[in-house]
């Protein structure tokens, strides 16, 4: 009989905690996985107590996902290396800014048969261009790393409202395992091979959502926002085809693509903070600190990364929405420029 797999969650924000609820319940019913799920928690003090102690006593992440009961087999651990010790299934749910630091700590400390999956919606810019988080994790840790992305607002998932998600995984032999770990009655999983497109959609839609938030601040309606979503999908597809090979059209119609784009443009932190950015005149950094309770804002930074690459290739004019979002966020362009962008696009 094959040895049971040990699962570790690397991250414990609102999305990580929502996923912990699913994984904790699923492994209890499975013969593939050990029953205890370690969850790496960056230690913080909350009302004079360690966050890990609160989670382990109350089975609730009171800071990032208050009011949601976590399964008792999910154990919060403040040491990354200790949490991942002997784990051979690693679920990465951290802000993309911390991936390099996390990987540096894990090098040489993983089980030889470990595999990973990234739930991180962000991109990295390097000397070779734009890189997906699963590529960075896979290369730095020498493991196969898949990606899970979809129309998944954390509190709705935690409340067990039905939704779908997409796993991009090149190794089809791993698909049954990923489905057994994540799939449940309210969280439907579909697996595809097209990892790059799954991840690109998860990152790029945040930049489009910034445009949607700007539209809300300008007090235009759903018709205008639909134009942003349509143009955003066109540019996401064009960007993927321009910079990556093996892109499959059907992936854009998975949950990771169109569905996540729509959801993020109507809800989520990037739309919300972008609206406040235009309405208040405060900096993005101020608003992140004021509005996100320790979470990170991805959309403006993704727009910055994308624009730098487009400028380097001298193709900004092919991506008017991404360019407009970047200029509004970082070059003091008037937000109304976004409406001109929509009018001028054919």
């Amino acid at each position: 009989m094959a040895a049971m797999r040990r699962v570790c969650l690397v991250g414990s924000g609102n999305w990580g905690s929502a996923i912990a609820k699913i994984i904790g319940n699923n492994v209890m019913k499975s013969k593939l996985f050990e029953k205890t799920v370690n969850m790496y928690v960056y230690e913080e003090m909350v009302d004079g107590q360690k966050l890990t102690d609160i989670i382990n006593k109350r089975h609730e992440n009171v800071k990032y996902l208050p009011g949601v009961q976590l399964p008792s087999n999910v154990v919060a651990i403040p040491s990354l290396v200790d949490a991942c010790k002997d784990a051979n299934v690693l679920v990465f749910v951290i802000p993309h800014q911390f991936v390099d630091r996390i990987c540096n700590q894990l090098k040489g400390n993983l089980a030889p048969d470990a595999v990973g999956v990234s739930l991180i919606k962000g991109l990295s810019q390097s000397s070779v261009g734009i890189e997906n988080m699963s590529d960075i994790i896979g290369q730095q840790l020498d493991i196969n790393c898949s990606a899970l992305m979809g129309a998944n607002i954390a509190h709705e998932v935690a409340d067990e409202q039905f939704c779908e998600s997409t796993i991009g995984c090149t190794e089809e032999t791993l698909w049954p395992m990923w489905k057994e770990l994540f799939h449940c009655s309210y969280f439907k999983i579909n697996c595809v091979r097209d990892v790059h497109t799954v991840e690109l959609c998860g990152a790029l839609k945040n930049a489009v959502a910034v445009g949607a938030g700007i539209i809300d601040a300008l007090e235009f309606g759903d018709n205008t926002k639909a134009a942003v979503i349509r143009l955003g999908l066109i540019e996401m597809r064009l960007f993927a085809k321009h910079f990556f090979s093996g892109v499959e059209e059907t992936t854009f119609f998975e949950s990771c693509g169109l569905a996540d784009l729509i959801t993020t443009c109507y809800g989520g932190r990037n739309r919300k903070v972008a609206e406040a950015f235009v309405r208040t005149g405060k900096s993005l950094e101020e608003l992140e600190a004021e509005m996100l309770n320790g979470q990170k804002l991805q959309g403006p930074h993704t727009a910055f990364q994308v624009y730098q690459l487009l400028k380097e290739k001298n193709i900004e004019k092919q991506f008017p929405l991404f360019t407009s979002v970047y200029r509004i966020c970082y070059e003091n362009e008037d937000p109304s420029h976004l409406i001109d962008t929509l009018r001028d696009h054919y």
Side-chain angles (χ1 to χ4, degrees), residues 25-286:
N25 286 326
N26 280 354
V27 300
M28 291 296 291
K29 300 177 288 186
S30 172
K31 295 181 180 180
L32 287 181
F33 305 105
E34 293 188 13
K35 305 310 178 190
T36 299
V37 175
N38 287 350
M39 179 170 70
Y40 165 62
V41 176
Y42 177 78
E43 193 68 280
E44 301 176 70
M45 299 301 292
V46 178
D47 296 331
Q49 299 181 70
K50 293 179 179 179
L51 182 57
T52 52
D53 288 343
I54 296 172
I55 293 172
N56 289 332
K57 290 175 184 175
R58 293 172 50 178
H59 307 298
E60 177 188 357
N61 189 333
V62 295
K63 179 166 184 179
Y64 295 108
L65 198 66
V68 174
Q69 194 74 10
L70 300 178
S72 59
N73 61 323
V74 175
V75 179
I77 298 177
S79 164
L80 174 66
V81 173
D82 288 347
C84 295
K85 185 179 180 182
D86 300 325
N88 45 20
V89 179
L90 303 171
V91 181
F92 294 90
V93 204
I94 53 175
H96 72 277
Q97 299 95 321
F98 302 145
V99 167
D100 284 335
R101 178 170 63 81
I102 291 292
C103 287
N104 285 335
Q105 292 181 59
L106 288 179
K107 285 177 183 176
N109 291 304
L110 295 180
D113 61 341
V115 296
V117 58
S118 170
L119 280 65
I120 305 166
K121 295 184 177 181
L123 300 170
S124 179
Q125 197 164 4
S126 69
S127 57
V128 299
I130 290 287
E131 291 185 280
N132 287 315
M133 293 298 117
S134 68
D135 287 335
I136 294 170
I137 293 168
Q139 291 162 10
Q140 292 198 20
L141 300 181
D142 193 25
I143 62 174
N144 179 282
C145 190
S146 304
L148 183 152
M149 304 283 154
N152 309 140
I153 293 177
H155 71 84
E156 294 184 10
V157 175
D159 289 343
E160 301 187 12
Q161 298 181 32
F162 179 81
C163 63
E164 301 171 315
S165 205
T166 311
I167 292 179
C169 176
T170 56
E171 296 293 333
E172 293 188 28
T173 55
L174 293 174
W175 289 10
M177 183 199 73
W178 290 134
K179 280 199 169 186
E180 188 149 343
L181 187 63
F182 291 106
H183 185 92
C184 66
S185 61
Y186 62 90
F187 195 68
K188 180 182 176 182
I189 294 295
N190 189 39
C191 295
V192 300
R193 288 183 53 84
D194 189 6
V195 184
H196 284 148
T197 307
V198 169
E199 255 184 303
L200 278 173
C201 287
L204 295 175
K205 55 91 182 181
N206 286 325
V208 181
V210 173
I214 293 169
I215 291 299
D216 288 338
L218 295 173
E219 299 187 355
F220 283 80
D222 288 343
N223 293 340
T224 312
K225 189 180 287 190
V228 169
I229 293 171
R230 186 188 73 84
L231 182 55
L233 184 62
I234 289 171
E235 293 191 17
M236 288 165 58
R237 174 181 171 276
L238 182 61
F239 186 93
K241 285 181 168 291
H242 197 99
F243 292 102
F244 290 89
S245 60
V247 172
E248 296 184 15
E249 295 282 345
T250 53
T251 306
F252 292 97
F253 299 97
E254 293 285 343
S255 182
C256 64
L258 182 59
D260 196 10
L261 177 61
I262 293 170
T263 297
T264 309
C265 286
Y266 279 92
R269 70 190 76 161
N270 292 283
R271 188 221 61 79
K272 179 173 68 173
V273 174
E275 180 180 4
F277 174 68
V278 175
R279 290 190 185 277
T280 67
K282 294 182 179 180
S283 71
L284 292 166
E285 292 76 16
E286 285 179 286

Side-chain angles (χ1 to χ4, degrees), residues 210-211 214 218 274 277-278 284 321-339 341:
V210 173
I214 293 169
L218 295 173
F277 174 68
V278 175
L284 292 166
L321 179 63
F322 287 154
T323 298
S324 183
V325 168
Y326 162 78
R327 289 179 173 159
I328 292 168
C329 289
Y330 293 101
E331 293 187 352
N332 297 316
E333 183 72 71
D334 191 286
S336 63
H337 177 70
L338 185 57
I339 302 299
T341 296

Side-chain angles (χ1 to χ4, degrees), residues 295-312:
Q295 298 177 72
K296 295 298 180 182
L297 187 66
Q298 309 105 328
H301 183 63
T302 298
F304 177 87
Q305 292 175 302
V306 166
Y307 179 78
Q308 299 308 310
L309 189 59
L310 298 178
K311 185 178 179 182
E312 180 183 313

